[in-house]
């Protein structure tokens, strides 16, 4: 059995999500190849070659792949698919975009957001906003799978896989229009080791930023937000943690003024240590918190800042 992992990267280096997807792939087979799609992505391919357990790295480049257009990725993967029994990619925004298209062209059912590999044809995935786990068995000869990175440990370094160039396709019927990149000195939310997250209880956008930013700066943390806070306009969409936002699993997650709706818990309950600050003792967030403080954030956060020095 051979497995192809489509790498997630930022144009210059592979992201941690790729290492974690390789771990899932190695649970299926020892024959794991990594496909790097992009433009000017030789450095990414060289980085992927160092991931332990990778047999070889395939580098495909084109203008369309540089923008990770789903049509270009699909057209690049299909000619390669015959040599693999499974195609895996992290369950990121890009992965969720092109994986269903690849599955449709291969006439198989996509298997989404797996958190465990049971066997070569059996997988576990969350359903009902993460409140239940479903074990599914696929009868398809070829499997297209998205992997929830927070559920797997990252594969280590130390590999020395060869890098081969393959044909990269374009997307002639699709035109890339524009993108807006958010620039920040803070860690990227999906990869941050510490996240401080705020909820609707903060009351306004001004209060949200006044409370969250100094604390995040003090801790070297990324900033997250509940859906309620985002919907209220306190924080931008890219801050949203939850089922319809980013799924995170940092070493430390501090939830401030977040009640803990199911949608939010689905995106952060795998965090290693969860600290909740909320003045409502019955807030659902306390059910998943390792440390809970029943207090008004207006008192608790300044005290925390003072203790941090």
């Amino acid at each position: 059995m051979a497995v192809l992992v489509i790498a997630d990267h930022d144009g210059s280096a592979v992201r941690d999500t790729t290492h974690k997807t390789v771990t899932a792939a190695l649970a299926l087979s020892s024959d794991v190849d990594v496909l790097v799609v992009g433009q000017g992505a030789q450095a990414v391919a060289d980085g992927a070659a160092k991931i332990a357990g990778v047999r070889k790295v395939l580098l495909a480049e084109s203008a369309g792949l540089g923008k990770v257009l789903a049509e270009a990725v699909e057209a690049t993967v299909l000619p390669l698919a015959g040599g693999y029994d499974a195609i895996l990619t992290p369950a990121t925004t890009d992965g969720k975009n092109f994986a269903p298209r690849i599955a449709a062209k291969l006439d198989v059912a996509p298997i989404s957001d797996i958190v465990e590999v049971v066997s070569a044809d059996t997988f576990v995935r969350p359903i009902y906003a993460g409140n239940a786990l479903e074990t599914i068995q696929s009868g398809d000869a070829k499997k297209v799978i998205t992997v929830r990175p927070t559920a797997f440990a990252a594969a280590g370094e130390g590999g020395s896989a060869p890098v081969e160039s393959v044909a990269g396709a374009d997307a002639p019927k699709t035109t890339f229009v524009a993108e807006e990149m958010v620039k920040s000195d803070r860690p990227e939310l999906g990869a941050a080791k510490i996240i401080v997250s705020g909820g609707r209880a903060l009351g306004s956008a001004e209060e949200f930023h006044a409370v969250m930013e100094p604390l995040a700066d003090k801790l070297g943390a990324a900033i997250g937000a509940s859906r309620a806070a985002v919907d209220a306009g306190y924080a931008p969409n890219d801050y949203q943690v939850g089922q319809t936002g980013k799924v995170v699993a940092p070493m430390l997650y501090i939830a401030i003024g977040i009640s803990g709706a199911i949608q939010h818990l689905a995106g952060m309950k795998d965090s290693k240590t969860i600290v909740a600050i909320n003045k409502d003792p019955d807030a659902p967030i306390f059910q998943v918190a390792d440390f809970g403080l029943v207090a008004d954030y207006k008192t608790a956060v300044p005290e925390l800042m003072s203790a941090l020095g």
Side-chain angles (χ1 to χ4, degrees):
M1 182 178 189
V3 180
L4 180 66
V5 171
I6 304 174
D8 177 34
H9 63 88
D10 62 6
S12 59
V14 286
R15 293 192 174 101
D16 186 57
T17 51
T18 301
H19 292 69
K20 293 177 178 180
T21 303
V22 167
T23 297
L26 288 170
L28 286 169
S29 171
S30 59
D31 296 328
V32 175
D33 297 344
V34 174
L35 172 64
V36 173
V37 298
Q39 189 174 34
Q42 183 65 50
V44 178
D46 292 341
K50 296 177 183 178
I51 301 175
V54 172
R55 182 177 63 175
K56 66 179 176 181
V57 176
L58 306 177
L59 173 60
E61 298 185 285
S62 73
L65 293 174
K67 300 301 182 183
V68 202
L69 297 179
E71 294 83 354
V73 176
E74 167 254 305
T76 300
V77 171
L78 286 184
L80 304 172
Y84 297 95
D85 302 291
I87 299 169
L88 275 63
T89 189
T92 59
T93 301
D94 286 332
K96 292 176 182 178
N97 190 24
F98 58 69
R101 187 178 182 90
I102 294 169
K105 289 298 184 78
L106 292 174
D107 196 25
V108 300
I111 303 169
S112 62
D113 218 24
I114 67 164
V115 297
E116 182 184 344
V117 176
V118 178
S119 67
D121 64 354
T122 306
F123 310 91
V124 178
R125 60 184 298 272
I127 56 174
Y128 302 128
N131 282 303
L133 294 175
E134 174 185 51
T135 301
I136 59 172
Q137 186 173 34
S138 172
D140 290 325
K142 202 175 298 291
K143 295 163 183 64
V144 178
I145 302 168
T146 62
V147 176
R148 179 174 287 196
T150 57
F152 295 89
E157 297 285 320
S160 57
V163 178
E164 300 177 8
S165 293
V166 296
D170 260 316
K173 295 182 179 179
T174 303
T175 301
F176 178 79
V177 178
E179 65 182 345
E180 294 183 10
M181 300 294 291
V182 176
K183 295 183 178 180
S184 174
D185 293 332
R186 296 192 183 89
E188 194 273 324
L189 185 59
K193 300 298 183 185
I194 303 174
I195 296 174
V196 294
S197 202
R200 186 168 51 186
L202 274 72
S204 68
E206 293 76 14
E207 181 74 356
F208 183 95
H209 292 286
V211 171
M212 305 303 294
E213 290 180 0
L215 181 58
D217 291 341
K218 181 77 72 173
L219 294 170
I223 296 179
S226 67
R227 178 174 179 174
V230 171
D231 287 348
Y234 302 168
N237 288 334
D238 55 296
Y239 280 20
Q240 185 174 324
V241 173
Q243 186 182 16
T244 54
K246 290 183 172 69
V247 176
V248 300
M251 297 302 294
L252 174 62
Y253 187 90
I254 302 177
I256 300 171
I258 295 176
S259 63
I262 289 174
Q263 187 273 345
H264 187 77
L265 298 183
M268 46 65 71
K269 66 182 181 181
D270 290 330
S271 302
K272 305 303 181 288
T273 301
I274 300 171
V275 176
I277 300 172
N278 198 300
K279 64 182 180 181
D280 178 6
D282 297 319
I285 190 73
F286 289 126
Q287 296 176 12
V288 299
D290 297 289
F291 300 93
L293 177 61
V294 180
D296 191 326
Y297 76 87
K298 292 181 180 179
T299 301
V301 173
E303 290 178 351
L304 175 59
M305 291 286 289
S306 177
L308 290 170

